[in-house]
Each structure stands twice: as structure tokens, then as C-alpha cells.
Amino acid sequence: MSNYVLSCCSTADLSEEHFQSRNIHYICFHYMLDGVTYDDDLGKSMPFDKFYHAMANGAETRTSQVNADEFIRYFTSFLEQGLDILHVSLSSGISGVSNSACIARDELKAKFPERSIYIVDSLGASSGYGLFMDKLADLRDEGKTLEEVYHWAEENKLKLHHWFFSTDLTFYVKGGRISKASGWFGTVLKICPLLNMDDLGRLIPRFKIRGKSKVIREIVDRMAEHAQDGLDYSGKCYISNSDCMEDAQAVARLVEERFPKLNGKVQIYSVGTTIGSHTGPGTVALFFWGDQRVR
């Protein structure tokens, strides 16, 4: 049995069952819905359908990352058990949470000099970040040491691809990601923006696709272009969605048709309340292992 824990933030957007089955620990972000504060706890405090229904009806949302004091309490619970820690954070390209984890690590060094705490900036988000954690759990279960898993994570994190599309531009306008005029024209013309994460972990618009059926084909085309071994890809594939399961299932069916050597079926999860507070309903994200991400 390993003498270290694998840890991440709730923004890895896996299910509670998945985290438990892989022995991956997590710490919760927080969000506010119409002024009431909740933990981003994988839908336990508030079911995802209720959350997205509230957003669609105009509820105001805000998010807050895990702060250094919370990390100190969280890490201490493991260190006092004599365990080392590998914590992987949400991308620094969209959050400052990695810095909070590093502050906590540095403060705990003096109190637990015999213990090791490694922090990895995932440069990823949602269930892509979750797919990354799943691979690290594989390495741990194979008997890799803390240091070996840490170095593998740093060397390979940019090989995890994140592609997103949205069929509802409302919250992209609200968050200032696109202008009101662009949002209006995009809605009228049924434009679905296709985005991905670059090598700095930032969400970057790449294409403007007209129509849902076309953007579904396009996102799978991007997987064919970038996946390890192309259409012979034999790794795992995850999808997350924000209250648009039918669209997610359409992407999954097409992936399974085009990539017959997949490692199991495509797994579909919900975009959690932290990331969903910014995307709103109508977002589908596709995650897979591929070539090195670039700008």
C-alpha cells in the first residue's frame, strides 16, 4: 500500500463513486447562488439539474476558490497520519487555487519536516482534470513512488486534451467572454463556439461552428486529429456536460463509432457547480490523451 495520498479539487468533476473507487481525495471549492453559499461537493448539497435550472431562470452565481487556510487544515489531516501528499490543482490559467495550495505547503514544511507535499498545476479543468487524476491513480496502483508519479504528471499533463462547445451563449455574454452583439448574432445564426485549453491552461476560442450537429462532428474531428494513435486511440475518453445530456450522449456515440479501440465506453459526468457557474447550461466537453498541447 502506498504511503501517500492523491488529492485534487472538486473541480475535477468526477462522481463521488469514482473518487472513492480510485481512492482519490478532494477538497471542495465554493459557490454562491442568489447570495447563499454552498460547497461545490459533486452535487450533494444541490443536485446539478436544480442548479442549472436556477441559472437558466436568472439566478446569480459567484464562485470562490479554496484558500490557504483551508488547504492547511485539509493537508494536516493526512500529514498527521504520517502520509505524504500529491495534490493536483485546477488550472492556473483559470484560477489562483494552485498558489493557495503552494502557500499551505510552504507553511506546513516547518511543522512536518519529515513529510513531502508535492503540488502539480494540472493546466486542466472539469472531467479532463478528472481523467488526469484517474491516470495518476493507475500509476500509484502499479506501485510507482510519490516522486515517480509527480514527475510523470509534470511531464505528461499537456498531453491531456480539453475541447468544449456550447449551444447557449447567454453565460458567455454575461461573463464577458463574448460581446452582447456577438452573442445576439451568434444566437440568431445558431453559432456554437468550439474552444480548447492551451499550453497555459487557458480556455481559448478556436472555431465558430453553425449548428449543433456540425459542432458535434467537429469536436470529434479534433479528437481524430490530436488523439494518441489517431483513430486507433486505445486510451480512456471522458465527457462532461452542463445539463445537456442528450448532446453529450451524441458526442459519446460518435466517439465510440470512430474509435473502436477505446479503453471501455466513454464515461459521461456533470460539469460541476464551480465551472458550471461560468459556463451555464448547454456546454459539452470532450477529454482524451493526445499530442502535446500548444498555443
Side-chain angles (χ1 to χ4, degrees):
M1 183 175 179
S2 62
N3 62 344
Y4 62 93
V5 298
L6 282 180
S7 167
C8 61
C9 303
S10 58
T11 44
D13 288 351
L14 299 178
S15 66
E16 178 76 23
E17 294 75 19
H18 194 142
F19 279 124
Q20 290 181 350
S21 69
R22 299 312 317 269
N23 192 22
I24 299 170
H25 298 265
Y26 64 90
I27 185 170
C28 293
F29 268 59
H30 318 285
Y31 69 97
M32 293 180 68
L33 185 70
D34 280 341
V36 180
T37 300
Y38 301 88
D39 285 338
D40 176 11
D41 57 3
L42 315 180
K44 287 182 286 187
S45 296
M46 179 177 294
F48 295 124
D49 58 349
K50 183 178 178 181
F51 172 77
Y52 286 114
H53 181 73
M55 287 192 75
N57 286 327
E60 292 294 326
T61 59
R62 293 178 57 191
T63 61
S64 60
Q65 66 188 38
V66 185
N67 63 42
D69 288 340
E70 290 174 295
F71 271 119
I72 287 172
R73 292 192 295 272
Y74 174 68
F75 288 158
T76 297
S77 67
F78 301 119
L79 299 171
E80 288 180 340
Q81 299 175 55
L83 297 170
D84 296 325
I85 300 167
L86 174 57
H87 179 79
V88 184
S89 75
L90 179 66
S91 172
S92 60
I94 58 176
S95 170
V97 71
S98 184
N99 186 56
S100 296
C102 289
I103 291 171
R105 174 200 62 197
D106 295 344
E107 289 196 19
L108 288 167
K109 280 182 178 179
K111 187 175 180 181
F112 298 94
E114 73 285 2
R115 299 267 62 86
S116 297
I117 305 173
Y118 287 94
I119 308 297
V120 174
D121 176 0
S122 72
L123 299 177
S126 196
S127 303
Y129 174 18
L131 179 53
F132 186 61
M133 295 305 303
D134 189 78
K135 176 61 179 180
L136 299 188
D138 286 341
L139 297 174
R140 176 205 59 204
D141 294 348
E142 291 169 7
K144 296 289 192 295
T145 66
L146 170 65
E147 291 76 15
E148 287 173 328
V149 177
Y150 167 73
H151 289 301
W152 190 96
E154 289 290 3
E155 291 169 3
N156 291 277
K157 61 188 179 183
L158 287 178
K159 294 177 183 176
L160 202 294
H161 279 252
H162 301 59
W163 287 88
F164 303 74
F165 72 78
S166 180
T167 57
D168 184 346
L169 303 181
T170 303
F171 295 91
Y172 288 81
V173 173
K174 193 172 182 179
R177 292 172 179 81
I178 61 176
S179 69
K180 289 183 179 180
S182 295
W184 185 85
F185 282 110
T187 299
V188 170
L189 297 174
K190 298 183 178 179
I191 298 297
C192 301
L194 182 60
L195 313 89
N196 78 337
M197 295 196 89
D198 69 0
D199 60 335
L200 298 179
R202 302 171 300 184
L203 196 56
I204 306 295
R206 299 297 186 184
F207 306 99
K208 296 177 181 179
I209 312 298
R210 189 170 182 179
K212 185 189 296 187
S213 61
K214 289 183 179 179
V215 79
I216 288 172
R217 292 195 298 272
E218 187 68 29
I219 199 171
V220 179
D221 285 345
R222 298 285 69 76
M223 182 172 174
E225 178 183 357
H226 294 286
Q228 291 175 349
D229 301 317
L231 295 179
D232 288 328
Y233 178 68
S234 58
K236 293 182 180 180
C237 177
Y238 288 0
I239 288 174
S240 60
N241 78 101
S242 55
D243 200 35
C244 50
M245 179 59 78
E246 289 185 4
D247 295 340
Q249 290 172 335
V251 174
R253 285 193 296 270
L254 188 54
V255 168
E256 290 171 1
E257 288 172 9
R258 295 189 64 185
F259 299 88
K261 297 182 181 180
L262 276 179
N263 181 356
K265 293 287 188 179
V266 175
Q267 297 186 40
I268 302 177
Y269 298 96
S270 290
V271 174
T273 47
T274 294
I275 295 173
S277 292
H278 301 283
T279 68
T283 292
V284 174
L286 175 65
F287 310 104
F288 55 90
W289 291 98
D291 53 14
Q292 190 90 351
R293 278 155 46 193
V294 296
R295 292 191 183 185

